[in-house]
Amino acid sequence: MPNRRVMDVAYGRAHADKIIENGKLVNVLTGEIYPADVAIVDGRVAAVGDVSAQKGPNTEIIDAEGRYLTPGLIDGHLHIECSKLSVTMLADMVARYGTTSVISGLDQVLVAAGIDGVKEFLAEAADSSVHVWWGAPAKAPYTIPESNVGYAFKAEDHKIAQEMPECVGLWETVQEMVEDGDEDVLAAMDMAEKNRLHAFGCAPLVDARRVAGYASSGVVLCHESYSPEEELEKMRNGIDIIIRESTAAPMLRENIKLVTEMGAPSDRVGFCTDDITSSDVLGRGHLDYVVRLAIECGVTPMQAIQMGSINTARMYKLDHKIGSIAPGRFADILFVDDLNDFRPARVMTAGRIVAENGKPVVAPVAPERTSVVADTFKLKEVDASRIKVEAEGSKAVVQAIVLSKDVAFRRPGAEIGLDIVDGVVQPCTEKDAIMVAVAERYGKTDNLPVAFINGFGIKKGAIATSNSPDDNNVVVAGTNAADMALAINEVTRLGGGQVAVADGEVIGRLPLPVAGIVADIPAEEMAAAEQEMDRIAREELGSDLPSPFGQLLFLSITAIPEWAITDLGLIDCVKFVVTDPVISSN
């Protein structure tokens, strides 16, 4: 519906609430930069250029002081909950760096607390400093085979989800689900077609044959590419590209070659961060950092800003609302001193100044929490005797998960020889082969499978987390069953969180009581807690990873080869089957 008041101001029949003067407009629609004033009413841009007709006696004047005015940045794919921050606290953090919109599946609260949990988070977002646009997951959880969760989101749920005003399409339409003909996913895609909604892809390491099939299904974009060659194949088949850049997945330097070396059109490329932590963002920025990095890698400032704004808005059919400084759009505006060193000095979201010089204008205040997201743990106390891998003989060869040192999501495997004592396969810290287990926390089963993992470098104790996409059960890695059980039980006692244990004592804890996955604490407090938990895992437990908890968090993701673990057991992420961790014994 047209906003009558915005229209009246645009036509000069009424006065603006605010006018930004003395700015240089970065027009991402035309690629031009020129002096222009901006008239704002009801949080929307009403007119750009000469806005003298819109100025009234009560109009607030904001002096841009000669700065560039760019659109607010749009994160094209962000799992908000993986930050461990609630929506309010994440919005407060990323807005400081010029991010004014994110597209998110809210998939982690969905599997923990259902559609009511999503609605609660969306209502919270409406009062925050960032717009949150919801991509309803094609299906959740994304795990293959499907793991146990608090709420399994199926095709029937899309009858509600796709009618919600915040819904912009289907999130994480996993390639394997499309190729294998998952009926829930295909039914959701059929429904989306009728509702004129697009499907957004997740197709890592996909070959040419599969790209053709994927594109034919109607998927329009993909954020999950591991090389510029893979990106180009997708683009040639009609799939737009969102390049991911985060500490967990530093992929822009390589993947921007799609534009800088392969000559692909930059207007079909957007940006996302996918998964972030407070420590990473407070240390270097958010999408502003991605824009700076893209410029460093050879694209022009205009191209980089377009990738961070209008390109992504168009991919999601949101360009009539966000992505540019133009009439009718939200007044999401950044005040930038130097386009080559892109750092917003002032951030405006929907006509409201939310940050100045990297600091929030008003401290964030989280909403009151309901039982929907405050009571999601149904896990009974775990006894240490259950945490074991049994086998006959004296020696075993096990299939271990191997942690990648480059990209946290990719986990190759290795065969490791271990001793068997009294029918139980023994972990070995000298071989860096420790146990890993998942405790199903929603009370649907008593599942507690155990396998082995290589790469943590832990010499004693255990670490555990309930923030663990894609199902957010409790994942624990450790050198002995007693400490692993204690870690699981402490996470349960907290109602969710991250825990470190050594020699029968809890030596570190980070409570995440909102749906068992996030906390209502400011980013600075979260960053300090993250750093302390990782310090404990490194210095007191012996891990040699920069972020042991950062690696632990992703172990249940099955969408990326080669190995994972869920509450069903060790998962072969190529064949998508549950696998016995013991290959042989004698």
Side-chain angles (χ1 to χ4, degrees), residues 286-307:
H286 188 228
L287 284 177
D288 62 321
Y289 166 76
V290 181
V291 169
R292 292 194 302 273
L293 182 59
I295 294 169
E296 178 186 325
C297 291
V299 303
T300 68
M302 179 63 75
Q303 286 176 312
I305 295 166
Q306 288 170 326
M307 290 176 186

Side-chain angles (χ1 to χ4, degrees), residues 165-241:
E166 300 91 348
C167 183
V168 295
L170 303 193
W171 174 269
E172 297 278 26
T173 309
V174 177
Q175 198 284 140
E176 287 78 11
M177 293 179 178
V178 175
E179 182 178 9
D180 295 343
D182 186 295
E183 286 303 324
D184 279 300
V185 171
L186 296 184
M189 295 177 78
D190 288 341
M191 206 180 304
E193 179 73 17
K194 293 177 182 178
N195 290 326
R196 299 183 180 180
L197 296 173
H198 283 158
F200 316 133
C202 174
L205 304 169
V206 67
D207 59 45
R209 176 188 62 81
R210 299 172 98 191
V211 169
Y214 201 45
S216 73
S217 75
V219 169
V220 298
L221 62 84
C222 186
H223 74 285
E224 192 75 69
S225 299
Y226 282 76
S227 71
E229 291 79 13
E230 181 183 349
E231 291 175 322
L232 184 60
E233 186 67 28
K234 290 172 180 173
M235 186 178 281
R236 284 172 170 170
N237 281 269
I239 297 174
D240 289 336
I241 299 300

Side-chain angles (χ1 to χ4, degrees), residues 406-582:
D406 300 318
V407 178
F409 309 119
R410 299 190 67 177
R411 294 173 301 276
E415 297 182 5
I416 300 176
L418 296 173
D419 293 334
I420 301 173
V421 177
D422 296 330
V424 175
V425 182
Q426 302 296 303
C428 178
T429 56
E430 290 183 359
K431 295 181 179 180
D432 192 13
I434 63 173
M435 290 185 289
V436 60
V438 176
E440 192 266 283
R441 71 160 166 116
Y442 302 103
K444 304 292 180 68
T445 71
D446 63 353
N447 289 355
L448 182 59
V450 183
F452 294 92
I453 193 163
N454 169 269
F456 271 115
I458 290 174
K459 304 299 187 294
K460 67 175 183 178
I463 58 175
T465 181
S466 60
N467 182 305
S468 54
D470 288 317
D471 45 31
N472 296 289
N473 286 309
V474 182
V475 181
V476 59
T479 62
N480 66 89
D483 283 347
M484 291 171 72
L486 177 57
I488 294 170
N489 293 332
E490 179 65 8
V491 168
T492 301
R493 188 189 71 79
L494 294 172
Q498 296 186 330
V499 169
V501 172
D503 301 323
E505 293 186 14
V506 176
I507 59 175
R509 55 175 64 84
L510 169 53
L512 301 172
V514 183
I517 51 178
V518 300
D520 284 321
I521 61 176
E524 289 81 2
E525 188 176 334
M526 179 62 76
E530 288 172 344
Q531 291 163 17
E532 175 61 9
M533 293 299 290
D534 279 334
R535 183 202 66 78
I536 290 170
R538 290 193 309 268
E539 297 181 10
E540 300 189 35
L541 303 186
S543 176
D544 57 1
L545 294 173
S547 178
F549 279 93
Q551 290 274 13
L552 184 71
L553 186 147
F554 295 118
L555 292 183
S556 291
I557 295 176
T558 65
I560 302 173
E562 297 170 2
W563 295 93
I565 184 169
T566 72
D567 78 297
L568 302 181
L570 178 66
I571 307 297
D572 180 332
C573 300
V574 176
K575 298 177 181 178
F576 293 104
V577 294
V578 179
T579 302
D580 190 330
V582 178

Side-chain angles (χ1 to χ4, degrees), residues 28 70-77 97-103 241-243 252 256 266-272 286-292 294-295 299-315 322-324 332 334 342:
V28 294
T70 82
L73 301 176
I74 305 168
D75 194 322
H77 188 99
Y97 302 99
T99 302
T100 56
S101 282
V102 302
I103 293 91
I241 299 300
I242 296 181
I243 296 178
L252 185 139
I256 199 68
S266 65
D267 61 354
R268 292 185 57 198
V269 177
F271 292 145
C272 78
H286 188 228
L287 284 177
D288 62 321
Y289 166 76
V290 181
V291 169
R292 292 194 302 273
I295 294 169
V299 303
T300 68
M302 179 63 75
Q303 286 176 312
I305 295 166
Q306 288 170 326
M307 290 176 186
S309 57
I310 188 62
N311 294 3
T312 305
R314 284 175 173 156
M315 291 181 197
I322 57 175
S324 63
D332 302 337
L334 311 184
F342 193 91

